[in-house]
Amino acid sequence: MLGHDAVAQALVDHGVDTVFGVLGDGNLFIGENLQRQHGVNLVGATHEANAVCMAEGWAKATGRLGVATVTHGPGLTNTITALVEGVKNETPMLLVAGDTPIENEQHLQNLDQHALVAATGAGFQPVRNVETISEDVSTAVRRAHAERRPIVVNVPLNIEWEEVEYETRPPLNAPASRLAPDPDQLETALGIIASSARPIILAGRGAVKSNARDALVRLGEALGAPLATSLLGTGYFEGEPFNLGIHGTLSHQIAGETFAMADCLVVFGASLNFFTTDYQTLLAGKRVVHVDLNARHIDRHVTVDAGVVGDAAVVAEAMIEMLSDAEHQPSSFRTADLEQRLHDFDPAEAFDDKSYEGAVDPRTLTRRLDAGLPEDRQVVVDAGRFMLDALTMSVPNPQDLVTSHGFGAIGLGMSTAIGAAVARPTRPTVLCIGDGGYMMGGLTELSTAVHLGLDLIVIVYNDGSYGAEHIQLVSKGMDPAASLHEWPDFCAVAESMGCKTAKINSLEDIDAALEVVKNRKAGQPVLIEASTDADVVSTIYGHHR
């Protein structure tokens, strides 16, 4: 077969059945063969960065390898921000990129693609020659999983038109890792935990992937420790009487007070970044034990008192057994008063609604939408000032929350949501996005969502500005005009693309918008534009962030 057909075959040999891309000279025939010869779902994007974000959204929603493809030169340079996002999120992905013919140094789109990719932190896997295509693609797949980052498979155009006797390489079947802890690490950690008077258990996405919930709940009971999660563990302990919710910048008042009293934080599979630790203020006066399957994650953001490398569920079970053998008595941190306060807590009563005719308070908007939108949903949140409110929206399971915040770039949410929606076509996908991010990278792909017939519900928080920049200018007593924008009528544009729409300018409009969602047609995305006030400083439960 020809080289481009061999690349397609190698991808299919490794279980690839969905590819997101923008076709050009360097990848056209790879994509065409994937679709025609192998029946791969080839999803076309309007921009290369969006194709990569779609692949990442798909990977997050499925837990499988995301795959995108672009052409050489500007096709690859257009992916840089999205590649960095994938690196920051440690998402296993492949980006199959064409490259200019090796013998043509004067090709208009020639550049050092290796150097470009290296700057993003992604891996680079060259296809060395036509004879090594199956081996090189297989190596790239293995690296993506092992290194937990995007790997760019670089395919020079001249190789694509050479003939090869293709030899299939067996697919990779990496067993699930259930790493047991080192006994010395475990003993040191448990010594710290058992001697604490007010411990708290913090679970992140690593604990979720480990299915450690039951073990962590029992460990919490054995220690007398309340339970909390990182953002990516949202809702993990829902229904537990001592569930404090999110640990970090999105914590509510009761949780914040409890965190301040704690003397030990036992972390399972959570990144102790500045969001999760609220700029490390939540670690003050505490000893920290960090359990993670990846040794590189321990001490990465903060220096901890003890680290345990191992699977969250396995480590938690081992701790429970050791505590039982030692006849350890739980602490008195779980009080009847704390349980009652958590039971009675109502987020809606924790702030003064600042809605008026013409603009709604984003906190009230989010809570009303949270209650009224379909419960069996996945939620995707773009980056921007609005996300402090949007991220309080609940999800059935932590895996149902998909974010695009790794690089702090706005505008990646729409394409990420499309990828997630393609992955789970039988469930509604709710995208929360700001007006700036929507204009930067959302509007252009809305037509893609319509073309694909996705069950996508887009909530645009529109304050007519770049919100974070607006706040900075106002706080320094400067004219915020540079941050303000006069956007087009989002609903009119969306309707021209084939969407159903609704506008929210007051609290009375929310129910009508929810009716539009309730009565939406199958295969027709919905866009809801909600007007908010750029001069109303966003708060969480009454606390400025």
Side-chain angles (χ1 to χ4, degrees):
M1 62 179 69
L2 293 174
H4 52 75
D5 298 330
V7 173
Q9 183 67 58
L11 292 170
V12 172
D13 286 347
H14 284 81
V16 174
D17 56 22
T18 302
V19 175
F20 303 87
V22 177
L23 299 182
D25 293 349
N27 67 333
L28 171 60
F29 296 98
I30 297 173
E32 188 275 340
N33 185 271
L34 283 168
Q35 187 176 58
R36 173 182 53 80
Q37 183 71 26
H38 302 287
V40 167
N41 183 17
L42 182 64
V43 180
T46 64
H47 190 279
E48 289 86 356
N50 295 337
V52 175
C53 286
M54 289 177 190
E56 181 167 20
W58 188 92
K60 287 182 175 181
T62 61
R64 296 171 57 195
L65 180 74
V67 180
T69 182
V70 300
T71 189
H72 41 54
L76 183 61
T77 60
N78 279 346
T79 69
I80 297 305
T81 298
L83 273 178
V84 175
E85 176 73 18
V87 171
K88 296 278 189 177
N89 291 327
E90 299 186 351
T91 305
M93 296 165 57
L94 288 190
L95 174 58
V96 180
D99 199 353
T100 53
I102 294 174
E103 68 275 7
N104 187 359
E105 292 185 353
Q106 297 186 44
H107 192 289
L108 190 63
Q109 296 185 343
N110 182 40
L111 83 159
D112 187 343
Q113 296 197 164
H114 185 187
L116 183 74
V117 171
T120 70
F124 188 84
Q125 182 63 45
V127 172
R128 294 164 290 170
N129 57 63
V130 71
E131 303 291 341
T132 65
I133 286 175
S134 61
E135 179 183 351
D136 294 332
V137 171
S138 181
T139 298
V141 172
R142 175 184 57 77
R143 289 182 60 194
H145 287 296
E147 299 170 21
R148 298 200 61 81
R149 61 172 177 162
I151 303 295
V152 175
V153 181
N154 197 74
V155 189
L157 189 56
N158 54 290
I159 291 177
E160 293 186 36
W161 291 97
E162 295 179 9
E163 291 188 353
V164 62
E165 289 290 334
Y166 182 83
E167 294 185 9
T168 300
R169 295 187 61 90
L172 303 176
N173 294 303
S177 181
R178 286 286 183 184
L179 183 64
D182 176 83
D184 291 337
Q185 289 183 353
L186 184 60
E187 184 175 351
T188 299
L190 204 59
I192 293 172
I193 297 168
S195 62
S196 65
R198 297 176 300 280
I200 285 177
I201 289 176
L202 169 60
R205 187 57 66 90
V208 175
K209 291 180 177 179
S210 172
N211 294 317
R213 185 185 189 278
D214 290 345
L216 294 179
V217 168
R218 288 187 285 111
L219 180 61
E221 293 170 349
L223 293 173
L227 308 169
T229 73
S230 68
L231 174 64
L232 294 182
T234 294
Y236 199 42
F237 296 122
E238 189 68 29
E240 289 298 316
F242 290 96
N243 173 28
L244 298 173
I246 294 178
H247 185 284
T249 55
L250 298 178
S251 304
H252 58 70
Q253 184 175 353
I254 298 173
E257 293 171 357
T258 308
F259 297 149
M261 292 187 293
D263 64 355
C264 181
L265 191 64
V266 191
V267 184
F268 289 85
S271 171
L272 292 173
N273 58 42
F274 65 92
F275 291 117
T276 305
T277 64
D278 198 357
Y279 299 87
Q280 299 192 26
T281 60
L282 293 179
L283 302 184
K286 299 176 183 62
R287 303 191 75 184
V288 180
V289 172
H290 194 177
V291 179
D292 203 286
L293 191 61
N294 190 334
R296 294 186 297 112
H297 291 175
I298 298 173
D299 281 338
R300 179 170 57 167
H301 298 301
V302 298
T303 301
V304 300
D305 295 280
V308 181
V309 178
D311 175 78
V314 174
V315 174
E317 293 285 2
M319 287 181 172
I320 293 169
E321 183 177 352
M322 293 175 69
L323 290 169
S324 176
D325 291 344
E327 299 183 351
H328 176 78
Q329 296 301 308
S331 75
S332 58
F333 202 23
R334 289 189 171 195
T335 64
D337 176 64
L338 175 60
E339 182 178 2
Q340 189 63 47
R341 292 178 69 201
L342 289 170
H343 178 269
D344 295 339
F345 178 68
D346 182 358
E349 297 178 357
F351 63 88
D352 295 326
D353 185 281
K354 297 184 182 299
S355 300
Y356 59 85
E357 188 64 35
V360 292
D361 189 315
R363 298 164 297 182
T364 305
L365 171 69
T366 303
R367 281 153 188 75
R368 292 274 297 275
L369 293 176
D370 188 18
L373 290 172
E375 292 183 2
D376 184 28
R377 65 193 179 219
Q378 57 182 344
V379 176
V380 180
V381 182
D382 194 48
R385 180 176 69 154
F386 78 96
M387 73 183 186
L388 294 176
D389 302 298
L391 285 170
T392 63
M393 190 171 290
S394 61
V395 289
N397 298 289
Q399 300 98 318
D400 296 321
L401 175 64
V402 179
T403 64
S404 58
H405 305 158
F407 195 29
I410 69 172
L412 307 182
M414 176 66 80
S415 46
T416 302
I418 289 174
V422 169
R424 296 173 174 171
T426 60
R427 302 178 61 191
T429 297
V430 177
L431 167 65
C432 298
I433 190 168
D435 50 306
Y438 179 69
M439 285 296 291
M440 183 177 291
L443 185 148
T444 56
E445 291 296 350
L446 189 60
S447 62
T448 302
V450 173
H451 172 72
L452 295 173
L454 300 178
D455 191 1
L456 179 66
I457 303 164
V458 181
I459 314 297
V460 181
Y461 291 69
N462 184 7
D463 63 5
S465 75
Y466 287 139
E469 288 69 25
H470 183 90
I471 288 177
Q472 291 186 60
L473 290 169
V474 171
S475 67
K476 295 182 183 299
M478 301 171 67
D479 184 351
S483 68
L484 300 176
H485 299 276
E486 293 187 9
W487 307 119
D489 185 328
F490 290 154
C491 287
V493 175
E495 287 174 3
S496 74
M497 292 181 176
C499 289
K500 193 70 175 176
T501 67
K503 285 190 178 182
I504 297 176
N505 294 314
S506 66
L507 294 180
E508 289 71 29
D509 296 333
I510 296 178
D511 287 341
L514 289 171
E515 279 297 310
V516 171
V517 173
K518 181 179 178 181
N519 298 316
R520 70 195 186 279
K521 297 178 181 179
Q524 183 179 33
V526 174
L527 181 135
I528 297 174
E529 179 186 352
S531 296
T532 60
D533 190 334
D535 289 312
V536 175
V537 178
S538 183
T539 63
I540 296 297
Y541 303 120
H543 293 84
H544 289 277
R545 294 296 181 190

